[in-house]
Amino acid sequence: MADYHYREAQGADAQAPLFLVFHGTGGDENQFFELAGQLLPGARVIAPRGDVSEGGALRYFRRTGEGVYDMDDLRLRVTQMIAFVEARRTEGAARQVVGLGYSNGANILAAVQFAAPSLFDASVLMHPLIPFAPPEADFGGKRVLITGGRRDPIAPEAMTQRLSDYFTGHGAATSLVWHSGGHELRQEELVAAREFLAAAR
């Protein structure tokens, strides 16, 4: 499998948290790179670029329609992403591995967690859409923050709530933060993410 192109910032020391950030559809490795340094100062930041093109818009896996995923491709990309994260983790001695993703980036991050529950110590899933039943998994000792919009036309409120309930029901310390809008990121989400990530410093 091909490796990902990615942007990197070195951590403050060898044990700095490893912070992986995943862009949304149409973004790239730069979308959240600077923000990552603000949310978790001193972390080693890795921002992989999605390697699937949808009409020129970069994504992490294929879909056949809005909210309709190519599940075979998703499984392939999840395996590839797990290998990528594990390779970056072995390059240092990070005390924690933390992830943040928005929209399609949140979806690949969540899917990686389903397949490899021990890989991330904490994750921030912003406006995720998981239109399938996740597998049984043990997230004991893991922390998850999910953010969403009450009127999000892409990631409906009920499905966001269902994902939160899934993580809680499988042992994760889960927080769910809403804003009153749609699929856009808002300041209150970033504040919640900064407070949540402070525990990883």
Side-chain angles (χ1 to χ4, degrees):
M1 291 183 186
D3 206 351
Y4 289 93
H5 176 86
Y6 63 94
R7 188 176 174 188
E8 178 178 8
Q10 293 299 320
D13 56 58
Q15 293 187 318
L18 174 59
F19 190 19
L20 290 110
V21 292
F22 303 92
H23 62 78
T25 298
D28 62 17
E29 67 277 13
N30 300 304
Q31 185 175 23
F32 297 117
F33 188 81
E34 300 299 334
L35 177 65
Q38 298 170 27
L39 294 177
L40 189 52
R44 178 190 177 202
V45 178
I46 300 286
R49 178 193 297 173
D51 58 355
V52 171
S53 175
E54 182 180 89
L58 294 174
R59 289 174 51 83
Y60 291 102
F61 59 89
R62 296 188 180 96
R63 61 182 173 180
T64 58
E66 189 67 62
V68 183
Y69 298 163
D70 180 333
M71 296 303 291
D72 289 337
D73 186 69
L74 177 58
R75 281 188 285 272
L76 175 67
R77 306 295 173 172
V78 164
T79 299
Q80 178 177 320
M81 187 61 76
I82 290 171
F84 173 80
V85 176
E86 288 179 337
R88 303 290 78 74
R89 185 174 61 176
T90 61
E91 292 169 347
R95 57 181 174 271
Q96 286 202 59
V97 179
V98 182
L100 178 146
Y102 164 67
S103 194
N104 181 244
N107 300 336
I108 190 67
L109 175 54
V112 164
Q113 290 180 273
F114 302 155
S118 64
L119 191 55
F120 286 90
D121 298 291
S123 63
V124 179
L125 306 173
M126 295 177 156
H127 300 262
L129 174 63
I130 302 298
F132 56 88
E136 291 298 313
D138 181 6
F139 291 100
K142 307 302 182 183
R143 300 168 56 244
V144 179
L145 170 65
I146 299 174
T147 69
R150 294 284 190 185
R151 299 195 302 272
D152 192 331
I154 296 173
E157 180 179 351
M159 297 188 77
T160 302
Q161 183 66 58
R162 190 180 309 152
L163 182 62
S164 177
D165 293 343
Y166 163 82
F167 277 111
T168 299
H170 289 79
T174 311
S175 301
L176 179 57
V177 171
W178 296 102
H179 66 61
S180 59
H183 200 62
E184 75 280 2
L185 288 177
R186 291 194 176 181
Q187 185 62 29
E188 53 262 49
E189 295 176 81
L190 301 181
V191 170
R194 186 167 56 247
E195 293 174 350
F196 174 83
L197 292 169
R201 292 178 187 170

